[in-house]
Amino acid sequence: MSSTLDNPFFARLWTVMAAHETEAIRRLRRENLAGLSGRVLEVGAGTGTNFAFYPDTVTEVVAV
Ligand SMILES: C[S@@+](CC[C@H](N)C(=O)[O-])C[C@H]1O[C@@H](n2cnc3c(N)ncnc32)[C@H](O)[C@@H]1O
């Protein structure tokens, strides 16, 4: 049995909201990703809000 879950309105809204996160949240994202290097697997990447916060030591992100 398969089913489809779809919420395009929320997906669009979230992308806009994520672009306006507070500096405190942005700092938490940087802290959370600090120390990573090489190839990273991000499970639950959503719309990719974390992508801009990966340190330069990360060379590749595989996102699901
Ligand atoms: C709270 S959001 C976080 C999104 C993004 N990482 C961020 O920091 O903004 C959690 C994400 O995990 C995804 N997710 C939930 N369960 C999952 C699963 N079993 N496998 C892969 N992704 C999943 C959701 O679709 C959603 O995009």
Side-chain angles (χ1 to χ4, degrees):
M1 181 177 162
S2 67
S3 62
T4 300
L5 185 62
D6 190 59
N7 192 337
F9 175 76
F10 180 79
R12 290 190 183 101
L13 183 67
W14 181 253
T15 302
V16 174
M17 289 171 60
H20 294 86
E21 288 180 332
T22 65
E23 181 50 35
I25 297 294
R26 297 165 68 86
R27 185 170 56 248
L28 287 172
R29 287 188 184 277
R30 279 190 288 272
E31 287 177 12
N32 189 43
L33 302 172
L36 295 177
S37 62
R39 181 192 290 179
V40 172
L41 171 63
E42 181 173 336
V43 177
T47 55
T49 309
N50 275 336
F51 295 169
F53 298 91
Y54 280 106
D56 290 343
T57 47
V58 171
T59 56
E60 184 178 1
V61 178
V62 178
V64 178

Short mmCIF file of all heavy atoms in Angstrom, two decimals:
data_model
loop_
_atom_site.label_atom_id
_atom_site.label_comp_id
_atom_site.label_asym_id
_atom_site.label_seq_id
_atom_site.Cartn_x
_atom_site.Cartn_y
_atom_site.Cartn_z
N MET A 1 0.84 -1.18 0.00
CA MET A 1 0.00 0.00 0.00
C MET A 1 0.89 1.25 0.00
O MET A 1 1.86 1.33 0.75
CB MET A 1 -0.88 -0.01 1.25
CG MET A 1 -1.82 1.16 1.32
SD MET A 1 -2.86 0.99 2.80
CE MET A 1 -3.43 2.64 2.95
N SER A 2 0.58 2.19 -0.84
CA SER A 2 1.35 3.41 -0.87
C SER A 2 0.42 4.61 -0.66
O SER A 2 -0.79 4.52 -0.87
CB SER A 2 2.10 3.54 -2.19
OG SER A 2 1.18 3.72 -3.23
N SER A 3 1.00 5.70 -0.24
CA SER A 3 0.21 6.91 -0.08
C SER A 3 1.07 8.10 -0.46
O SER A 3 2.29 8.02 -0.49
CB SER A 3 -0.28 7.05 1.37
OG SER A 3 0.83 7.16 2.24
N THR A 4 0.43 9.20 -0.73
CA THR A 4 1.14 10.42 -1.09
C THR A 4 0.83 11.49 -0.06
O THR A 4 -0.32 11.71 0.31
CB THR A 4 0.69 10.90 -2.48
OG1 THR A 4 0.99 9.88 -3.42
CG2 THR A 4 1.42 12.18 -2.87
N LEU A 5 1.89 12.13 0.42
CA LEU A 5 1.73 13.23 1.37
C LEU A 5 2.25 14.48 0.67
O LEU A 5 3.40 14.53 0.24
CB LEU A 5 2.53 12.93 2.64
CG LEU A 5 2.37 13.92 3.78
CD1 LEU A 5 0.92 13.95 4.25
CD2 LEU A 5 3.28 13.52 4.94
N ASP A 6 1.43 15.48 0.56
CA ASP A 6 1.81 16.63 -0.23
C ASP A 6 1.31 17.91 0.44
O ASP A 6 0.16 18.00 0.82
CB ASP A 6 1.19 16.49 -1.63
CG ASP A 6 1.73 17.53 -2.58
OD1 ASP A 6 2.95 17.55 -2.78
OD2 ASP A 6 0.93 18.31 -3.11
N ASN A 7 2.20 18.87 0.62
CA ASN A 7 1.78 20.15 1.20
C ASN A 7 2.59 21.27 0.56
O ASN A 7 3.49 21.83 1.19
CB ASN A 7 1.95 20.14 2.72
CG ASN A 7 1.26 21.33 3.37
OD1 ASN A 7 1.03 22.36 2.72
ND2 ASN A 7 0.92 21.21 4.63
N PRO A 8 2.32 21.59 -0.69
CA PRO A 8 3.14 22.59 -1.40
C PRO A 8 3.06 23.97 -0.76
O PRO A 8 4.03 24.73 -0.82
CB PRO A 8 2.56 22.60 -2.82
CG PRO A 8 1.20 22.02 -2.69
CD PRO A 8 1.27 21.04 -1.55
N PHE A 9 1.94 24.32 -0.12
CA PHE A 9 1.84 25.64 0.51
C PHE A 9 2.86 25.76 1.63
O PHE A 9 3.60 26.75 1.73
CB PHE A 9 0.43 25.89 1.03
CG PHE A 9 0.33 27.20 1.80
CD1 PHE A 9 0.31 28.41 1.12
CD2 PHE A 9 0.29 27.20 3.18
CE1 PHE A 9 0.25 29.62 1.80
CE2 PHE A 9 0.24 28.40 3.89
CZ PHE A 9 0.22 29.61 3.19
N PHE A 10 2.91 24.74 2.50
CA PHE A 10 3.86 24.79 3.61
C PHE A 10 5.29 24.82 3.11
O PHE A 10 6.13 25.55 3.64
CB PHE A 10 3.67 23.61 4.57
CG PHE A 10 4.63 23.66 5.72
CD1 PHE A 10 4.41 24.50 6.78
CD2 PHE A 10 5.79 22.90 5.69
CE1 PHE A 10 5.31 24.59 7.84
CE2 PHE A 10 6.70 22.97 6.73
CZ PHE A 10 6.46 23.81 7.81
N ALA A 11 5.58 24.03 2.09
CA ALA A 11 6.95 23.99 1.54
C ALA A 11 7.37 25.38 1.07
O ALA A 11 8.50 25.82 1.33
CB ALA A 11 7.03 22.98 0.40
N ARG A 12 6.48 26.09 0.40
CA ARG A 12 6.81 27.45 -0.08
C ARG A 12 6.94 28.42 1.09
O ARG A 12 7.84 29.25 1.12
CB ARG A 12 5.74 27.93 -1.06
CG ARG A 12 5.78 27.19 -2.38
CD ARG A 12 4.88 27.85 -3.44
NE ARG A 12 4.90 27.07 -4.65
CZ ARG A 12 3.94 26.23 -5.01
NH1 ARG A 12 2.88 26.08 -4.27
NH2 ARG A 12 4.05 25.54 -6.12
N LEU A 13 6.03 28.30 2.04
CA LEU A 13 6.06 29.19 3.20
C LEU A 13 7.34 28.98 4.00
O LEU A 13 7.99 29.94 4.44
CB LEU A 13 4.84 28.91 4.09
CG LEU A 13 4.68 29.80 5.32
CD1 LEU A 13 4.39 31.24 4.88
CD2 LEU A 13 3.54 29.28 6.21
N TRP A 14 7.73 27.72 4.18
CA TRP A 14 8.91 27.41 4.98
C TRP A 14 10.17 28.01 4.34
O TRP A 14 11.05 28.51 5.04
CB TRP A 14 9.08 25.90 5.17
CG TRP A 14 10.29 25.62 6.00
CD1 TRP A 14 11.47 25.10 5.58
CD2 TRP A 14 10.43 25.90 7.40
NE1 TRP A 14 12.35 25.05 6.63
CE2 TRP A 14 11.74 25.53 7.75
CE3 TRP A 14 9.59 26.43 8.36
CZ2 TRP A 14 12.23 25.67 9.05
CZ3 TRP A 14 10.08 26.58 9.65
CH2 TRP A 14 11.38 26.20 9.97
N THR A 15 10.27 27.94 3.03
CA THR A 15 11.44 28.48 2.35
C THR A 15 11.58 29.98 2.64
O THR A 15 12.68 30.47 2.89
CB THR A 15 11.34 28.23 0.84
OG1 THR A 15 11.22 26.82 0.63
CG2 THR A 15 12.56 28.74 0.11
N VAL A 16 10.47 30.70 2.65
CA VAL A 16 10.50 32.14 2.95
C VAL A 16 10.85 32.37 4.41
O VAL A 16 11.69 33.21 4.75
CB VAL A 16 9.13 32.79 2.60
CG1 VAL A 16 9.10 34.24 3.05
CG2 VAL A 16 8.86 32.68 1.12
N MET A 17 10.22 31.60 5.30
CA MET A 17 10.50 31.74 6.74
C MET A 17 11.96 31.46 7.05
O MET A 17 12.61 32.17 7.83
CB MET A 17 9.60 30.80 7.56
CG MET A 17 8.15 31.21 7.57
SD MET A 17 7.10 29.94 8.31
CE MET A 17 7.79 29.83 9.94
N ALA A 18 12.50 30.42 6.46
CA ALA A 18 13.87 30.02 6.75
C ALA A 18 14.88 31.08 6.31
O ALA A 18 15.97 31.18 6.87
CB ALA A 18 14.18 28.68 6.07
N ALA A 19 14.51 31.86 5.31
CA ALA A 19 15.40 32.92 4.83
C ALA A 19 15.42 34.11 5.78
O ALA A 19 16.23 35.02 5.61
CB ALA A 19 14.99 33.36 3.43
N HIS A 20 14.52 34.10 6.77
CA HIS A 20 14.43 35.22 7.72
C HIS A 20 14.64 34.77 9.16
O HIS A 20 14.08 35.37 10.09
CB HIS A 20 13.07 35.91 7.57
CG HIS A 20 12.90 36.58 6.24
ND1 HIS A 20 12.45 35.91 5.13
CD2 HIS A 20 13.15 37.84 5.85
CE1 HIS A 20 12.42 36.75 4.10
NE2 HIS A 20 12.85 37.91 4.51
N GLU A 21 15.43 33.74 9.35
CA GLU A 21 15.70 33.29 10.71
C GLU A 21 16.52 34.34 11.45
O GLU A 21 17.30 35.09 10.86
CB GLU A 21 16.46 31.95 10.68
CG GLU A 21 15.59 30.79 10.25
CD GLU A 21 16.33 29.47 10.21
OE1 GLU A 21 17.56 29.47 10.00
OE2 GLU A 21 15.68 28.45 10.36
N THR A 22 16.36 34.36 12.77
CA THR A 22 17.11 35.32 13.59
C THR A 22 18.59 34.95 13.61
O THR A 22 18.97 33.81 13.30
CB THR A 22 16.59 35.32 15.03
OG1 THR A 22 16.86 34.03 15.61
CG2 THR A 22 15.09 35.62 15.09
N GLU A 23 19.43 35.92 13.99
CA GLU A 23 20.86 35.65 14.08
C GLU A 23 21.13 34.56 15.11
O GLU A 23 22.06 33.77 14.95
CB GLU A 23 21.63 36.93 14.43
CG GLU A 23 23.13 36.76 14.52
CD GLU A 23 23.76 36.03 13.31
OE1 GLU A 23 23.30 36.21 12.17
OE2 GLU A 23 24.74 35.26 13.53
N ALA A 24 20.33 34.49 16.17
CA ALA A 24 20.52 33.44 17.19
C ALA A 24 20.34 32.05 16.57
O ALA A 24 21.12 31.13 16.86
CB ALA A 24 19.54 33.65 18.33
N ILE A 25 19.35 31.90 15.73
CA ILE A 25 19.12 30.61 15.07
C ILE A 25 20.25 30.32 14.07
O ILE A 25 20.75 29.19 13.98
CB ILE A 25 17.76 30.59 14.34
CG1 ILE A 25 16.62 30.75 15.35
CG2 ILE A 25 17.59 29.32 13.52
CD1 ILE A 25 16.47 29.60 16.31
N ARG A 26 20.67 31.37 13.36
CA ARG A 26 21.76 31.18 12.38
C ARG A 26 23.04 30.75 13.10
O ARG A 26 23.79 29.90 12.61
CB ARG A 26 21.96 32.45 11.57
CG ARG A 26 20.73 32.81 10.74
CD ARG A 26 20.77 34.25 10.22
NE ARG A 26 21.80 34.47 9.23
CZ ARG A 26 21.65 34.24 7.93
NH1 ARG A 26 20.50 33.79 7.48
NH2 ARG A 26 22.62 34.49 7.11
N ARG A 27 23.28 31.34 14.27
CA ARG A 27 24.47 30.97 15.05
C ARG A 27 24.38 29.50 15.48
O ARG A 27 25.36 28.78 15.42
CB ARG A 27 24.60 31.89 16.27
CG ARG A 27 25.87 31.65 17.08
CD ARG A 27 26.10 32.72 18.14
NE ARG A 27 24.97 32.87 19.05
CZ ARG A 27 24.19 33.93 19.11
NH1 ARG A 27 24.40 34.98 18.32
NH2 ARG A 27 23.19 33.98 19.96
N LEU A 28 23.18 29.07 15.89
CA LEU A 28 22.99 27.66 16.28
C LEU A 28 23.27 26.73 15.10
O LEU A 28 23.87 25.66 15.26
CB LEU A 28 21.58 27.44 16.81
CG LEU A 28 21.30 28.01 18.19
CD1 LEU A 28 19.81 27.90 18.53
CD2 LEU A 28 22.14 27.30 19.25
N ARG A 29 22.85 27.14 13.91
CA ARG A 29 23.12 26.30 12.73
C ARG A 29 24.63 26.18 12.49
O ARG A 29 25.15 25.09 12.23
CB ARG A 29 22.43 26.88 11.48
CG ARG A 29 20.92 26.70 11.48
CD ARG A 29 20.32 27.12 10.15
NE ARG A 29 18.88 27.04 10.17
CZ ARG A 29 18.18 25.91 9.97
NH1 ARG A 29 18.80 24.79 9.70
NH2 ARG A 29 16.86 25.92 10.00
N ARG A 30 25.33 27.33 12.59
CA ARG A 30 26.79 27.29 12.39
C ARG A 30 27.45 26.41 13.44
O ARG A 30 28.33 25.60 13.13
CB ARG A 30 27.37 28.71 12.44
CG ARG A 30 27.24 29.47 11.13
CD ARG A 30 28.04 30.77 11.13
NE ARG A 30 27.42 31.76 11.98
CZ ARG A 30 26.48 32.62 11.57
NH1 ARG A 30 26.07 32.61 10.32
NH2 ARG A 30 25.97 33.48 12.41
N GLU A 31 27.03 26.56 14.71
CA GLU A 31 27.61 25.75 15.79
C GLU A 31 27.34 24.27 15.57
O GLU A 31 28.19 23.42 15.80
CB GLU A 31 27.02 26.18 17.14
CG GLU A 31 27.52 27.52 17.64
CD GLU A 31 26.84 27.93 18.94
OE1 GLU A 31 26.16 27.09 19.57
OE2 GLU A 31 26.98 29.11 19.30
N ASN A 32 26.14 23.96 15.13
CA ASN A 32 25.73 22.57 14.92
C ASN A 32 26.57 21.89 13.84
O ASN A 32 26.86 20.69 13.92
CB ASN A 32 24.25 22.51 14.54
CG ASN A 32 23.70 21.11 14.52
OD1 ASN A 32 23.99 20.32 15.41
ND2 ASN A 32 22.92 20.80 13.52
N LEU A 33 26.98 22.67 12.84
CA LEU A 33 27.69 22.10 11.69
C LEU A 33 29.21 22.26 11.80
O LEU A 33 29.96 21.70 11.00
CB LEU A 33 27.19 22.74 10.40
CG LEU A 33 25.67 22.60 10.17
CD1 LEU A 33 25.24 23.44 8.98
CD2 LEU A 33 25.29 21.15 9.98
N ALA A 34 29.66 23.02 12.80
CA ALA A 34 31.11 23.25 12.97
C ALA A 34 31.83 21.93 13.21
O ALA A 34 31.31 21.03 13.87
CB ALA A 34 31.34 24.20 14.14
N GLY A 35 33.02 21.83 12.65
CA GLY A 35 33.84 20.63 12.86
C GLY A 35 33.63 19.56 11.81
O GLY A 35 34.38 18.58 11.77
N LEU A 36 32.61 19.73 10.96
CA LEU A 36 32.39 18.74 9.90
C LEU A 36 33.41 18.96 8.78
O LEU A 36 33.86 20.08 8.54
CB LEU A 36 30.97 18.86 9.34
CG LEU A 36 29.83 18.55 10.32
CD1 LEU A 36 28.48 18.78 9.63
CD2 LEU A 36 29.93 17.11 10.82
N SER A 37 33.73 17.87 8.10
CA SER A 37 34.65 17.98 6.97
C SER A 37 34.37 16.86 5.98
O SER A 37 33.72 15.87 6.31
CB SER A 37 36.10 17.93 7.44
OG SER A 37 36.36 16.68 8.05
N GLY A 38 34.88 17.06 4.76
CA GLY A 38 34.75 16.04 3.73
C GLY A 38 33.32 15.90 3.23
O GLY A 38 32.60 16.88 3.07
N ARG A 39 32.88 14.66 3.02
CA ARG A 39 31.54 14.38 2.51
C ARG A 39 30.59 14.20 3.69
O ARG A 39 30.85 13.40 4.58
CB ARG A 39 31.55 13.13 1.64
CG ARG A 39 30.17 12.82 1.05
CD ARG A 39 30.09 11.45 0.44
NE ARG A 39 30.86 11.36 -0.78
CZ ARG A 39 30.96 10.26 -1.51
NH1 ARG A 39 30.36 9.15 -1.14
NH2 ARG A 39 31.70 10.25 -2.60
N VAL A 40 29.47 14.92 3.65
CA VAL A 40 28.49 14.88 4.74
C VAL A 40 27.18 14.36 4.21
O VAL A 40 26.74 14.75 3.12
CB VAL A 40 28.29 16.30 5.33
CG1 VAL A 40 27.14 16.32 6.33
CG2 VAL A 40 29.58 16.80 5.98
N LEU A 41 26.54 13.47 4.98
CA LEU A 41 25.18 13.01 4.66
C LEU A 41 24.21 13.74 5.59
O LEU A 41 24.30 13.60 6.82
CB LEU A 41 25.07 11.49 4.88
CG LEU A 41 23.65 10.91 4.78
CD1 LEU A 41 23.07 11.11 3.38
CD2 LEU A 41 23.65 9.44 5.17
N GLU A 42 23.33 14.54 5.02
CA GLU A 42 22.30 15.22 5.82
C GLU A 42 20.98 14.53 5.56
O GLU A 42 20.41 14.61 4.48
CB GLU A 42 22.21 16.71 5.48
CG GLU A 42 21.15 17.39 6.35
CD GLU A 42 21.10 18.90 6.22
OE1 GLU A 42 22.11 19.51 5.83
OE2 GLU A 42 20.03 19.46 6.51
N VAL A 43 20.47 13.87 6.58
CA VAL A 43 19.16 13.19 6.49
C VAL A 43 18.11 14.15 7.03
O VAL A 43 18.22 14.64 8.15
CB VAL A 43 19.17 11.87 7.29
CG1 VAL A 43 17.79 11.21 7.23
CG2 VAL A 43 20.25 10.94 6.76
N GLY A 44 17.10 14.43 6.21
CA GLY A 44 16.07 15.39 6.61
C GLY A 44 16.47 16.80 6.26
O GLY A 44 16.29 17.72 7.04
N ALA A 45 17.02 16.99 5.07
CA ALA A 45 17.53 18.30 4.66
C ALA A 45 16.43 19.31 4.39
O ALA A 45 16.69 20.51 4.36
CB ALA A 45 18.41 18.15 3.42
N GLY A 46 15.23 18.85 4.20
CA GLY A 46 14.12 19.78 3.92
C GLY A 46 14.41 20.61 2.69
O GLY A 46 14.79 20.07 1.63
N THR A 47 14.27 21.91 2.80
CA THR A 47 14.51 22.79 1.66
C THR A 47 15.97 23.24 1.59
O THR A 47 16.30 24.15 0.82
CB THR A 47 13.59 24.01 1.73
OG1 THR A 47 13.79 24.65 3.00
CG2 THR A 47 12.13 23.62 1.59
N GLY A 48 16.83 22.66 2.42
CA GLY A 48 18.27 22.95 2.32
C GLY A 48 18.73 24.15 3.12
O GLY A 48 19.75 24.76 2.80
N THR A 49 18.02 24.48 4.16
CA THR A 49 18.37 25.66 4.95
C THR A 49 19.77 25.58 5.52
O THR A 49 20.45 26.60 5.67
CB THR A 49 17.35 25.85 6.09
OG1 THR A 49 16.04 25.80 5.55
CG2 THR A 49 17.55 27.20 6.78
N ASN A 50 20.23 24.39 5.83
CA ASN A 50 21.58 24.25 6.41
C ASN A 50 22.70 24.48 5.40
O ASN A 50 23.83 24.75 5.79
CB ASN A 50 21.76 22.83 6.98
CG ASN A 50 21.23 22.72 8.40
OD1 ASN A 50 21.14 23.71 9.12
ND2 ASN A 50 20.92 21.49 8.80
N PHE A 51 22.41 24.36 4.13
CA PHE A 51 23.49 24.31 3.13
C PHE A 51 24.44 25.51 3.23
O PHE A 51 25.65 25.36 3.08
CB PHE A 51 22.92 24.22 1.72
CG PHE A 51 22.16 22.94 1.43
CD1 PHE A 51 21.41 22.83 0.28
CD2 PHE A 51 22.20 21.86 2.30
CE1 PHE A 51 20.72 21.65 -0.01
CE2 PHE A 51 21.50 20.68 2.04
CZ PHE A 51 20.76 20.59 0.88
N ALA A 52 23.89 26.68 3.46
CA ALA A 52 24.73 27.89 3.50
C ALA A 52 25.61 27.96 4.74
O ALA A 52 26.51 28.80 4.81
CB ALA A 52 23.84 29.13 3.44
N PHE A 53 25.39 27.06 5.69
CA PHE A 53 26.09 27.15 6.97
C PHE A 53 27.17 26.09 7.14
O PHE A 53 27.83 26.04 8.17
CB PHE A 53 25.08 27.05 8.12
CG PHE A 53 24.10 28.20 8.11
CD1 PHE A 53 22.90 28.08 7.43
CD2 PHE A 53 24.40 29.39 8.74
CE1 PHE A 53 22.00 29.14 7.39
CE2 PHE A 53 23.51 30.46 8.72
CZ PHE A 53 22.31 30.33 8.04
N TYR A 54 27.35 25.24 6.17
CA TYR A 54 28.43 24.25 6.27
C TYR A 54 29.77 24.96 6.21
O TYR A 54 29.97 25.88 5.43
CB TYR A 54 28.33 23.21 5.14
CG TYR A 54 27.31 22.14 5.41
CD1 TYR A 54 26.10 22.12 4.75
CD2 TYR A 54 27.56 21.15 6.36
CE1 TYR A 54 25.14 21.14 5.02
CE2 TYR A 54 26.62 20.17 6.63
CZ TYR A 54 25.42 20.17 5.96
OH TYR A 54 24.49 19.21 6.23
N PRO A 55 30.73 24.53 7.05
CA PRO A 55 32.05 25.15 7.01
C PRO A 55 32.78 24.82 5.71
O PRO A 55 32.43 23.86 5.01
CB PRO A 55 32.77 24.53 8.23
CG PRO A 55 32.04 23.26 8.52
CD PRO A 55 30.62 23.47 8.07
N ASP A 56 33.80 25.61 5.40
CA ASP A 56 34.55 25.43 4.16
C ASP A 56 35.22 24.06 4.08
O ASP A 56 35.60 23.62 2.99
CB ASP A 56 35.60 26.52 4.02
CG ASP A 56 34.97 27.88 3.75
OD1 ASP A 56 33.78 27.93 3.36
OD2 ASP A 56 35.66 28.89 3.96
N THR A 57 35.39 23.41 5.22
CA THR A 57 36.04 22.09 5.25
C THR A 57 35.14 20.99 4.69
O THR A 57 35.60 19.89 4.42
CB THR A 57 36.44 21.73 6.70
OG1 THR A 57 35.32 21.99 7.56
CG2 THR A 57 37.64 22.56 7.16
N VAL A 58 33.85 21.28 4.51
CA VAL A 58 32.92 20.33 3.88
C VAL A 58 33.04 20.47 2.37
O VAL A 58 32.86 21.56 1.82
CB VAL A 58 31.47 20.56 4.35
CG1 VAL A 58 30.50 19.72 3.55
CG2 VAL A 58 31.34 20.26 5.84
N THR A 59 33.36 19.38 1.71
CA THR A 59 33.57 19.41 0.27
C THR A 59 32.37 18.94 -0.53
O THR A 59 32.24 19.19 -1.71
CB THR A 59 34.80 18.57 -0.11
OG1 THR A 59 34.59 17.23 0.39
CG2 THR A 59 36.07 19.15 0.50
N GLU A 60 31.48 18.17 0.15
CA GLU A 60 30.33 17.63 -0.55
C GLU A 60 29.21 17.34 0.46
O GLU A 60 29.49 16.86 1.55
CB GLU A 60 30.71 16.33 -1.27
CG GLU A 60 29.62 15.73 -2.11
CD GLU A 60 30.10 14.45 -2.84
OE1 GLU A 60 31.27 14.05 -2.66
OE2 GLU A 60 29.30 13.87 -3.55
N VAL A 61 27.98 17.65 0.09
CA VAL A 61 26.83 17.33 0.93
C VAL A 61 25.90 16.43 0.14
O VAL A 61 25.48 16.79 -0.96
CB VAL A 61 26.09 18.59 1.40
CG1 VAL A 61 24.85 18.22 2.22
CG2 VAL A 61 27.01 19.50 2.21
N VAL A 62 25.61 15.27 0.70
CA VAL A 62 24.61 14.38 0.13
C VAL A 62 23.36 14.55 0.99
O VAL A 62 23.39 14.27 2.18
CB VAL A 62 25.09 12.92 0.14
CG1 VAL A 62 24.01 12.00 -0.42
CG2 VAL A 62 26.40 12.77 -0.62
N ALA A 63 22.29 15.07 0.39
CA ALA A 63 21.11 15.43 1.17
C ALA A 63 19.90 14.58 0.79
O ALA A 63 19.63 14.37 -0.39
CB ALA A 63 20.80 16.91 0.95
N VAL A 64 19.21 14.11 1.80
CA VAL A 64 17.98 13.33 1.59
C VAL A 64 16.83 14.14 2.16
O VAL A 64 16.90 14.60 3.31
CB VAL A 64 18.06 11.97 2.32
CG1 VAL A 64 16.76 11.19 2.14
CG2 VAL A 64 19.27 11.19 1.85
C1 LIG B 1 12.46 19.95 11.24
S1 LIG B 1 12.76 19.70 9.49
C2 LIG B 1 14.44 20.26 9.39
C3 LIG B 1 14.83 20.63 7.97
C4 LIG B 1 16.25 21.21 7.79
N1 LIG B 1 17.25 20.20 8.12
C5 LIG B 1 16.47 22.45 8.62
O1 LIG B 1 17.36 22.46 9.46
O2 LIG B 1 15.74 23.42 8.40
C6 LIG B 1 12.93 17.91 9.40
C7 LIG B 1 13.08 17.38 7.99
O3 LIG B 1 13.27 15.97 8.06
C8 LIG B 1 12.49 15.35 7.06
N2 LIG B 1 12.21 13.96 7.49
C9 LIG B 1 11.36 13.54 8.45
N3 LIG B 1 11.39 12.22 8.57
C10 LIG B 1 12.28 11.76 7.67
C11 LIG B 1 12.74 10.46 7.31
N4 LIG B 1 12.29 9.35 7.90
N5 LIG B 1 13.68 10.35 6.34
C12 LIG B 1 14.16 11.46 5.73
N6 LIG B 1 13.76 12.73 6.02
C13 LIG B 1 12.83 12.87 6.99
C14 LIG B 1 11.27 16.23 6.93
O4 LIG B 1 10.66 16.07 5.67
C15 LIG B 1 11.88 17.62 7.11
O5 LIG B 1 12.30 18.13 5.87
#
